[in-house]
Structures are given as C-alpha cells and as structure tokens.
C-alpha cells in the first residue's frame, strides 16, 4: 500500500485486516512500525476498527505483559512492535511466539525501514514474515524512486514477486553501476565500491510488482 502521506494507509490496513478476519483468513495481526507511532496505531484501531480488537504494544524490558498477552489467546489480537527493536534485544522472540498457533497478518509500516539488505533488522523481519499467512507493506514513497530499495520490501511480501534470491542479481538486472574510488587502504591502494548511477529495465520491474501494489498520490485523490 503505497499512498502518499495523509491518504489513509493506516485506515485502509485496519479495514483490510478486518475484512480478512471476517472472511476467516486471519485471526491476529502484527504491526512493525517506528516506535514513535506505536500509540498512533493503538489509537487508530480504537477509532476505526469495525471489529473488537485486543491490542498490546510491545515494550522493551516489559516482556511479562507480552507473555501474558500471548498466552491469553483471544480473538483478533494485535501486537504493535517498534521496528527498531528488531536490531537488538528479545523483541523478535516474542513476535515469533505470538505468531505460532495464530493465523497472522504481518504489516510493516514505513517499510523503507527494511530497505537495506543483509541488515539484522531487515533479515529478522523477513524471517518472521514467513510465519505469517498474509503480509502487507506501507509506504508513502514512490515506487519509481530508489529502485534498489524495493528488493527487500517485496522479498518480505513474497520472494517470488520479483524472483531473485540475491540482491546482487537483482541489482545487475535493474541498476546501472560504476566502480568508484572511496579512499585508500593502509598500503596506498585504491578502495573501490560499486555505486548505482542509474536504472534499466524499469518497465519490467513495474510489471512484476503492479499486481500486488496500490499507489495513490494526493493529486489523484484530493481536490
């Protein structure tokens, strides 16, 4: 769900989750979001959910409440998790326990937070996503900016959408790179890295992601 800011990504996701619950496709939800908006999600659920929900905001160091919430299994539980907690600590363990035995929708809000391959946070969330029945990413950023950022976001949803197991294979197909000097080592030898200087095969990539992507801009929705 790639809506520009202010067009209702959270509202849409809440109602989509409720529709899937009413269709008996899921019975619980995990939301990864920046810690600064965890309470926003809780408030929005209280305002917009057409179904009763049980909400727990996972807080570092207060895992006793999380354990009680997980063990006391009730209908349509929502666990709200700060995405920063996936870089360290035990939050991932509690998310895993919550997912086991439940049919979970897993949501990544501000999904650019998992755009970097081979980072602890990204790898953990992609791994946890395999435990979910359904997966959704939310972002206000255009899919035509930073094509390299799309790889791990869509890998979280389903690696078969784009079809590359390796980020470097993906980059070779869709990015134009150039070796650039970034300094020198202790022996005075140049250190080089591959920098992305452009893109290619963009129409092909957009065709692959289009069936599972909804993009709305303010110019299309507001007057």
């Amino acid at each position: 769900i790639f809506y520009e800011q202010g067009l209702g990504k959270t509202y849409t996701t809440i109602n989509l989750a409720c529709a899937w619950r009413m269709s008996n496709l899921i019975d619980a939800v995990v939301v990864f979001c920046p810690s600064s908006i965890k309470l926003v999600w809780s408030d929005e659920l209280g305002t917009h959910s057409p179904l009763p929900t049980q909400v727990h905001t996972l807080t570092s160091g207060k895992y006793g409440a999380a354990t009680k919430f997980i063990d006391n299994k009730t209908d349509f539980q929502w666990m709200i998790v700060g995405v920063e907690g996936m870089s360290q600590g035990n939050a991932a363990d509690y998310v895993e326990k919550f997912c086991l035995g439940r049919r979970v929708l897993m949501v990544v809000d501000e999904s650019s937070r998992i755009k970097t391959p081979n980072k602890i946070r990204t790898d953990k969330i992609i791994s946890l996503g395999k435990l979910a029945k359904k997966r959704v990413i939310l972002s206000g950023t255009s899919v035509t900016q930073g094509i390299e950022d799309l790889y791990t976001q869509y890998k979280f949803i389903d690696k078969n959408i784009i079809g590359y197991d390796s980020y470097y294979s993906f980059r070779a197909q869709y990015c134009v790179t150039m070796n650039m000097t970034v300094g020198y080592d202790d022996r005075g030898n140049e250190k080089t890295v591959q920098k992305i200087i452009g893109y290619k095969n963009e129409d092909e990539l957009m065709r692959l992601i289009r069936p599972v992507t909804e993009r709305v801009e303010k110019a299309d929705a507001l007057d």
Side-chain angles (χ1 to χ4, degrees):
I1 299 178
F2 285 176
Y3 296 177
E4 282 193 330
Q5 186 175 3
L7 296 184
K9 293 187 294 294
T10 304
Y11 174 86
T12 300
T13 303
I14 290 170
N15 282 275
L16 181 59
C18 289
W20 281 337
R21 178 68 197 102
M22 293 170 70
S23 300
N24 202 32
L25 298 174
I26 64 168
D27 52 33
V29 182
V30 171
V31 177
F32 292 107
C33 65
S35 294
S36 59
I37 61 171
K38 288 192 294 185
L39 293 180
V40 172
W41 269 93
S42 182
D43 290 344
E44 291 289 287
L45 278 164
T47 301
H48 297 301
S49 176
L51 296 178
T53 61
Q54 305 296 321
V55 183
H56 177 75
T57 302
L58 190 63
T59 303
S60 177
K62 297 182 179 180
Y63 295 130
T67 298
K68 183 177 180 181
F69 181 75
I70 294 168
D71 291 344
N72 184 25
K73 189 175 180 180
T74 58
D75 188 51
F76 212 29
Q77 292 174 298
W78 288 61
M79 179 175 280
I80 315 299
V81 185
V83 70
E84 298 88 347
M86 293 298 102
S87 299
Q88 57 185 2
N90 299 320
D93 296 335
Y94 288 89
V95 175
E96 181 177 356
K97 291 175 183 177
F98 180 75
C99 290
L100 295 176
R102 292 174 172 86
R103 294 172 297 160
V104 170
L105 161 64
M106 192 170 289
V107 179
V108 181
D109 193 4
E110 301 295 343
S111 59
S112 61
R113 301 293 183 98
I114 61 166
K115 70 180 183 180
T116 307
N118 302 320
K119 293 291 186 181
I120 293 174
R121 173 194 301 173
T122 301
D123 289 347
K124 281 187 177 181
I125 290 178
I126 289 175
S127 179
L128 289 167
K130 296 174 182 177
L131 303 175
K133 296 295 184 182
K134 289 187 173 291
R135 292 167 292 277
V136 171
I137 58 174
L138 313 180
S139 178
T141 304
S142 172
V143 298
T144 60
Q145 297 177 355
I147 279 176
E148 68 276 15
D149 296 344
L150 298 179
Y151 175 71
T152 49
Q153 295 181 66
Y154 279 89
K155 185 177 181 181
F156 165 77
I157 301 174
D158 186 340
K159 67 179 183 180
N160 295 315
I161 294 170
I162 295 176
Y164 286 95
D165 286 331
S166 163
Y167 167 72
Y168 299 101
S169 297
F170 168 87
R171 189 177 67 179
Q173 179 67 12
Y174 298 112
C175 301
V176 179
T177 61
M178 176 182 290
N179 288 330
M180 302 184 71
T181 301
V182 295
Y184 298 87
D185 62 22
D186 294 339
R187 297 182 179 180
N189 299 316
E190 289 185 349
K191 294 193 295 184
T192 61
V193 297
Q194 281 195 325
K195 292 286 188 178
I196 295 171
I197 60 171
Y199 302 104
K200 58 186 178 180
N201 303 318
E202 293 179 66
D203 289 345
E204 173 189 305
L205 179 59
M206 294 302 114
R207 186 171 65 252
L208 292 173
I209 68 174
R210 185 174 293 119
V212 296
T213 303
E214 185 169 59
R215 171 67 178 165
V216 181
E217 299 179 356
K218 289 181 178 180
D220 302 322
L222 303 178
D223 58 28

